[in-house]
Amino acid sequence: MRLTDASVAIRPRTAWEALDLGVLLARRHAGLLIASWALLSLPVFALLCLLLWDHPGWALFAFWWLKPAFERLPLYILSRSLFAEPPTLGQAMRALPGVLRPQLLASLTWRRLSLTRSFDLPVLQLEGLSGQARAQRLVVLGQRETRFATWLTVVGVHVEMALWLGLGSLFYMLLPAQLELDWNWQRLLEAAEGDWLWLEHLSNLVYVLPLMLWEPVYVACGFTLYLNRRTALEAWDIELVFRRLRQRLTGSAYALLLGLGLSLTLLPMAPPALAESSEVIAPEAPRLLKQPLTSEASRQSIEALLDAPPFEHRETLTRWRLGDDQEQASESDPETAKNWLERLLQLRDGWQHLGTLALIFEALLWAAVLALIGLLLWRYRQWLHLFASRLRPPSPVRRDAPTQLFGLDVAPERLPDDIAAEAERLWREQPRAALGLLYRALLSRLLHQHHLPLTSAHTEGEVLEQVAQFKRDDLNAFSQILTRHWQAAAYGNRLPPQNACADLCAGWRQLFPAGAAR
Amino acid sequence: MPPSLTSPSPPAAAALLDTRYRVETPEGIDLTLRPAGLVPRALAFSVDLAIRGVFLLLVYLGLSLLGQFGMGLAAVLLFLVTWWYMVLFEVLNQGRSPGKQLLGLRVVHDDGTPIGWPASLTRNLLRFVDLLPFAYTFGLLSCLYHPHFKRLGDIAAGTLVVYRDLPPARPNLPEAQPQQAPFALSLAEQRALLGFAERAEGLSAARRAELAGLLAEPLDLPPEQAERHLHGIARGLLGPTP
């Protein structure tokens, strides 16, 4: 027995899962199991029917009682196929006497009604234990598994009954309607007691046929339960992995020896161990195998995409390659060399024509480039104008001073030369005009002499605030007084007192001496 | 141990027989489900059948006092219990009828998601097909034949009866000085080393020594010290424990 050759996944399972594994195991070898079971049991059944023709019930009972004897062959097949190739039908039948003999009497007499039959059979048949040793072994193995083996048998009894009834009622359903008219269940039951013996034997057959399916499953379930118990008790799964690990490590040690050149005769032994260590899942390993898009397919489509134009730029250039041709011509054999030479001469003539053609094209292309540059310059002339002007050093700000502020004409040309005298002259008849003149003149001076950046949006108060930034007390004070008087006169129609004129004119003369104004 | 990844011998590698059922999520994660076979399912069904039988019997006894009205109620109740017992328990109790709960089973969709109304209704209405021709014959045969033990209703509804995963108990490792393995270990090998330490109590001393002896040569140790060393490596793999 080599665990590495096992055909089932060896791992500790729950007992229920072990039973399920039995179903799968029986399913895998279904053909062989059913055939071998039928080959053994159906003749026995036929023989019993013939012998006990008058007592169909006893025939069935005898067959049922013999069931443990039929279970040995399936177990032989299953145990053989677990670690090796399954035997052929002929091999199995030849092995039959050997597996039937041990303790057959015990199996068919006092152990016949044991509920853990399926679980006990491997101990008897595969381990070959008997008597005290078998009992002890069963105690060790069956601590927990007894319960599950019992349930398996209980369920098995019901499955047999269900299949029997199911097949029987299927048979009844499939009877043609004409026949069914004559039959009914009561009459069938009555008939069963009378001379309808063949019907009872048929019913027996309906019991035996489903057994062909169920008996191998039952045996396989008991077998896998036994296997599972041994796997847990003896840590088969761990042994399996340890053996592989040992093989891997010592195998690589052999490879190392080889590398040192110590022995070339070891060569055939080295390679297999290393191949097994590649079970680690690499990122490139095929994954997502059950998805609509597998990793392989996605990788291929990605590669195809990366091969396509936006990512991969491939060009096929076809152009004149005269130099290569010449070399090839010189290498070729002398007979064709003459032809080649002639062709080359022709080509050279052609090339001279081509030279002029190329010159024209070159000129045209350069013209096209220049035209393109010109076009671009013209196309973006506004843009250039806008942004290229910024590149120049900023010219001194030449702001056009407004000629009007709050509807007042502040252009210096429109003002009289001697403001103070004009104001004094006007004061007598039109004090309001005199104040206006003074204020206009002040604004004009602020604009043109002090370069105050006034616009028509400024109010009188804002003008004062800007004046205050000059930090000149006299100008500041004068502006405030003048503005207050002007506002009072302009908006409130309240004229300033008479002496204000003299103060204002004096202030003006002091601030803006005549002559220095311009 | 993931059996499909290891390759013991080339011809048998692809066909290792196992009851596990793998669902691959779109993220590429393998969910391992363990479909439940005929025997536990039959037992779970018997439990449910018995519960329903006892319940209906009690209700019938109680309602029979009410005369014909009571019989009418009992008929309605019989209908409800027959057709809705499984559906309601499965949908509202995480795929577990009382019988399945007792046996540690649950019903899920084929892709491992919790079962919903449509699937549960389908699989339980199609119970009628499984019943044919008598006593669940078709259901039995289908359950025995199907690789994931589905009966016909399960196939139609796309459902699966699986064993519930119980929260694992904290392993109890033998005391040893944690050590680092002197060679690289694959996942399966790490699990086997941990399993060796965890299950040490359940193995006989001779068997433990035999198993550890397998790795004595690669570890460059005399066989007597191998077991202790392996426990140390398992401790090292497990990491610090509170």
Side-chain angles (χ1 to χ4, degrees), chain A residues 3-4 10 235-244, chain B residues 1:
Chain A
L3 283 178
T4 44
I10 292 181
W236 279 7
D237 52 326
I238 294 174
E239 181 184 342
L240 185 66
V241 180
F242 278 13
R243 279 196 188 284
R244 287 208 191 112
Chain B
M1 181 189 67

Side-chain angles (χ1 to χ4, degrees), chain A residues 197-408:
Chain A
L197 281 176
W198 65 270
L199 189 67
E200 272 204 69
H201 283 293
L202 191 68
S203 157
N204 290 353
L205 186 66
V206 166
Y207 170 74
V208 171
L209 287 180
L211 276 191
M212 280 166 48
L213 290 178
W214 173 249
E215 270 294 281
V217 172
Y218 177 70
V219 176
C221 286
F223 180 49
T224 47
L225 200 59
Y226 163 82
L227 280 182
N228 190 51
R229 182 64 182 144
R230 284 197 63 182
T231 302
L233 263 185
E234 300 169 25
W236 279 7
D237 52 326
I238 294 174
E239 181 184 342
L240 185 66
V241 180
F242 278 13
R243 279 196 188 284
R244 287 208 191 112
L245 180 63
R246 173 199 172 91
Q247 198 184 6
R248 175 163 76 87
L249 295 171
T250 51
S252 55
Y254 279 133
L256 206 66
L257 283 180
L258 275 180
L260 292 172
L262 287 176
S263 165
L264 284 173
T265 52
L266 282 172
L267 195 72
M269 297 179 61
L274 284 177
E276 288 184 6
S277 61
S278 61
E279 66 184 62
V280 181
I281 303 175
E284 287 79 24
R287 287 171 297 118
L288 303 172
L289 297 179
K290 289 173 187 166
Q291 304 296 328
L293 182 67
T294 64
S295 67
E296 279 299 299
S298 70
R299 198 218 312 272
Q300 279 172 8
S301 81
I302 288 171
E303 279 172 2
L305 267 183
L306 288 179
D307 258 356
F311 301 103
E312 184 81 16
H313 188 63
R314 287 203 185 118
E315 270 186 309
T316 309
L317 274 179
T318 312
R319 60 187 169 98
W320 297 100
R321 291 176 63 103
L322 288 175
D324 289 355
D325 283 351
Q326 268 173 336
E327 283 170 14
Q328 281 175 5
S330 64
E331 284 168 10
S332 59
D333 57 324
E335 278 192 26
T336 53
K338 202 179 277 179
N339 289 341
W340 276 109
L341 269 177
E342 286 173 7
R343 275 194 206 173
L344 278 179
L345 285 174
Q346 285 172 0
L347 273 177
R348 206 184 59 190
D349 292 344
W351 179 243
Q352 280 169 349
H353 291 297
L354 284 174
T356 53
L357 199 64
L359 206 63
I360 295 169
F361 269 107
E362 193 179 349
L364 279 176
L365 283 174
W366 277 115
V369 169
L370 291 176
L372 190 67
I373 292 172
L375 190 70
L376 280 175
L377 286 176
W378 186 79
R379 171 72 178 78
Y380 291 106
R381 61 191 186 282
Q382 282 187 326
W383 187 87
L384 282 171
H385 183 71
L386 189 63
F387 290 98
S389 61
R390 284 198 176 179
L391 297 176
R392 282 184 229 129
S395 54
V397 182
R398 271 260 346 129
R399 282 173 10 90
D400 294 335
T403 53
Q404 281 202 336
L405 286 176
F406 345 111
L408 299 175

Side-chain angles (χ1 to χ4, degrees), chain A residues 415-435:
Chain A
L415 292 173
D417 288 339
D418 193 351
I419 305 291
E422 184 66 20
E424 280 174 341
R425 188 181 61 77
L426 278 173
W427 192 275
R428 279 170 231 124
E429 293 95 32
Q430 298 169 288
R432 189 185 166 95
L435 268 178

